[in-house]
Amino acid sequence: MFVIMIYDVGERRVAKMLKTGRKYLNWVQNSVLEGELSEGLLAKLKAEVKQKIDHESDSVIFYTWRSERYTARDVIGIEKNELALIV
């Protein structure tokens, strides 16, 4: 599946989040990574992210495309903006 990971974390955790994300995905721009992952690797990435973030102040959003017609959105931590679509 194709995955986009977007993160907004505290300054002290930015480098750790980038390093974690780059183990699985390709860096696109500040706080954005993307790439193809299996469901197992996505689950592993999410588990690592959950261990590294501050659940009270950080936000990591995963957009996944299982096919071109359907998307799913998972938010770990707080949701900063409740937009439902990528524009």
Side-chain angles (χ1 to χ4, degrees), residues 41-65:
L41 286 177
L42 178 58
K44 190 173 177 184
L45 172 57
K46 286 182 178 181
E48 287 187 41
V49 166
K50 287 177 184 178
Q51 292 177 348
K52 291 183 176 16
I53 69 168
D54 178 343
H55 290 265
E56 300 296 319
S57 63
D58 296 341
S59 180
V60 180
I61 300 170
F62 291 93
Y63 291 97
T64 61
W65 283 263

Side-chain angles (χ1 to χ4, degrees), residues 23-39:
K23 290 187 338 188
Y24 301 91
L25 300 167
N26 301 309
W27 180 82
V28 177
Q29 66 179 36
N30 290 345
S31 303
V32 179
L33 298 105
E34 66 180 21
E36 291 284 335
L37 291 179
S38 67
E39 288 187 35

